[in-house]
Amino acid sequence: MNLSMKWLRDYVDINVPIKEYCHALTMSGSKVECYTQEGKNIENVVVGKILSKAPHENADALFVCQVEVGKDSPVQIVTNAKNVKEGDLVPVALDGAVLPEGKIKKCKMRGVESFGMFCGLDTLGLTAHDFPYADPDGVFVINEECEIGQDIQSAIGLDDVSVEFEITSNRPDCLSVIGLARETAASYGIPLNVKAPEYKGVDGNISDMLKVDIHNTEKCQRYCAGIVKNVKIEPSPRWLRERLRASGIRPINNFVDITNYVMLEYGQPMHAFDLRYVEGAHINVRNAVNGEKIVTLDGVERELDESMLVIADEKKPVAVAGIMGGEYSGIMEDTTTVVFESAYFEPTQVRRTSKALRLKSDASARYEKGVDRLISMTCLKRAFELVELLGAGEVLNTVIDCDYTDKTPATVDFDSKWINDFLGTDIPEENMKEYLSRLGFEVKDGKVIAPSFRIDIECKADIAEEVARIYGYNEIPSTDFRGVARAEYTEEQKFIRSLRNTAVSLGGYEIATYSFVSPKYFDKIKLPENSRLRNTVKIMNPLGEDTSVMRTTSLPSVLDVLSFNYNNRNEKACLFEISKEYLPVSEEKPYINGDTLANSGEKKHKYEYSLPEEPQTLVIGMYGGDSDFYVLKGMIEQIFSEMHIEGVEYARAEECDEFDEKSAFHPGRSAVALKDGKALGIFGEIHPDVQENYGIGTKTYVAKLKIDELMKASCSEIKYSPLPKFPAATRDLSLIVDDEVPVAELEKAIRKAVGKILEKVTLFDVYKGKQIADGKKSVSYSITMRSHEGTLTDEQADSAVKKALKALSAIGAELRA
């Protein structure tokens, strides 16, 4: 809802800075999205009077004008405008002026200096709807009362401020200028001045000219109609056009503008019919007939059904009730007699009809939320008042009012103690009554009587909210919730939080991908045809084939994001995702519940569905920069260290059957991490064929870790060791071993043989070359030993090394000479 501040001041006497106003209304519950100052992008443009106009001596299409702009001497302007003459008032953009299209500077045009330019409507951001008398293709010749040298904004009314409010669906009363004026008055504690509309009218009996019947009083509870004779269709006056423009509605003509003006002012949609096109001069508010058709004002033919409410004459529908008029129901240039409609339509049927017809309008948007059911006649009178004010026709002083509304107001028990207990405040009862009175409520005999425009009031909490927002949310003291357990992270949430922080600290950027994927993803990672991961949970109503199954592995999702980054020329990437996989437990099992289908002897079947397992995984993907197998392994080891997981061993990926995704990895450059024989994860370089499938033209490295297994392997108790009191003894071993023997197996043998005095084993060299026999490799370790009971002697250290050599010889390792 866009609110014109000029229009607002008709109802409340307020003059505060616009930022202060926006803050105050937001804090009282009417959220302001933004505000717009009309003409803010126009500077140094003034009203000028053309003193003379002469042909340009060097150009037949140009003219040289001397223009008075309120300064000591006239300004020379060169123009090609043919629609201006001596004595015309025009907008003049002077040297240095700012316009929506850019900045204006003095220049020479065919040798003659021009110290500015004349402006047309489009140059000022206006249209012919704003000033109907102006030439849309030429310079804007001003017919308004203004002074020479006056800023153009004030001269043509381009100086309003429009405030945009976000109106929630429970407050349709605020979809009006008067509704927001009421909120303004309540927020500032100032009077609200809304006068009852008045009109004189001319003698005449409307029943001789029009008849109205409501055939469905549930969907249309009130229908008010009036007639204007001898109408004059012409543009609306400037003040009305300005207010519509500031509210975001384009001016059309005086009668259409009146209906829009009343809708904005009171929140009540209205419609104006040309009486000539109401056959039989008989309006019937009825349900449509199945297959009945109407061409709406937007020129589209729409087929109706019996659930839809229409406004019809004796032969055909002329409007879809509460949404849009028919093609011939509007106001024509030759219209002489107009029927004004002001009605209350039930919100649900308007919403359903609008959705079924795929037809939205400003009227339907208001009716769907609910309008004041008692205001129809007031709005009709306001329309008549405007007709007389604009001199647009003769208003009949009799009206038709078919009224079936329930006028019983909504009431709620008033209990100031309950409200204070509910809010945690100590507001005096009299203050509460004063706040409610500002908002139009009445407190009487222990009840709060809600005004008819407040359709959202249902219980005591609603009344407490009204009190709280006028009292001031900032004035309510902060208190702890009573009877509510204190929220804490679960152990799993703490673990995942720590895991995420560790991944970020290692340089990873977190991503989030969809859990539903395409079955083609399995082929892209070369998953075996008989893999259990191809058994998926299928989505019954997928968005498409690419999102038709729940993923059983997160690997393709991360590779997809890596591919996207690579193909968008990101030189390097390190990404991670903590996500779930969905592994089916069993097939669905049909069973019969004993019921039979109607009109048949067939049994109805239901299905038991076992929910899938949803293991969580951490997937890391990287390419470019310093990415390689050992960098990725180092990241994984750091994760294990931060998660307090010790004793992890590594094995070749092809030797482990735990991960079907190993088909996506390079067979010689991938590994699995194991703890006590249980697989924690798989990592390594992606297979070249898989890289090609994803369009990644560089070596890519990925790791997948099972979060559930990491939690089981994590040591919950952190043990601290004192700083060592005794020095360490270090020995280096260089071994010759078969090339097939993993270095991890050598390390394992050393750890077991040395025993509890071992502090650290460090691999510092692996060598294959001329001095080493074919099929062999040299592996060098640094062994650090320390005792916490005393200084190790050389004999103790050498004895431990001999045990290590003996254990190593059992797996074919010999000391290098």
Side-chain angles (χ1 to χ4, degrees), residues 199-204 209 226-232 255 336-338 340 384 387-388 390-398:
Y199 68 98
K200 296 179 180 178
V202 297
D203 292 337
M209 302 179 67
I227 287 180
V228 180
K229 302 186 302 181
N230 301 322
V231 303
K232 301 173 185 177
F255 274 86
T336 58
T337 306
V338 169
F340 272 114
F384 289 160
V387 169
E388 292 187 341
L390 272 55
E394 298 175 354
V395 179
L396 245 61
N397 58 11
T398 56

Side-chain angles (χ1 to χ4, degrees), residues 456-494:
D456 59 312
I457 302 301
E458 296 178 352
C459 60
K460 289 192 289 186
D462 294 330
I463 301 301
E465 180 184 3
E466 299 303 303
V467 170
R469 65 191 187 91
I470 302 302
Y471 175 68
Y473 292 123
N474 287 341
E475 301 298 323
I476 299 175
S478 300
T479 56
D480 292 332
F481 284 110
R482 296 188 294 273
V484 180
R486 187 173 182 178
E488 293 183 356
Y489 286 115
T490 64
E491 291 302 318
E492 180 182 16
Q493 289 171 329
K494 291 177 183 178

Side-chain angles (χ1 to χ4, degrees), residues 596-669:
T596 57
L597 295 172
N599 302 321
S600 76
E602 298 179 10
K603 295 287 187 179
K604 286 198 300 186
H605 291 269
K606 289 187 177 179
Y607 292 89
E608 285 183 342
Y609 291 97
S610 297
L611 293 176
E613 294 180 356
E614 300 181 16
Q616 295 196 86
T617 60
L618 166 64
V619 182
I620 302 172
M622 58 197 301
Y623 71 80
D626 58 355
S627 302
D628 63 20
F629 177 89
Y630 295 106
V631 169
L632 182 60
K633 182 173 181 286
M635 292 174 67
I636 293 171
E637 289 177 337
Q638 184 63 31
I639 288 172
F640 291 157
S641 175
E642 292 293 331
M643 298 298 106
H644 310 293
I645 301 173
E646 300 176 351
V648 178
E649 300 176 353
Y650 300 92
R652 290 191 177 95
E654 63 264 26
E655 296 176 359
C656 180
D657 296 328
E658 182 74 20
F659 296 97
D660 287 14
E661 299 100 322
K662 66 183 180 182
S663 59
F665 290 89
H666 193 297
R669 301 171 188 171

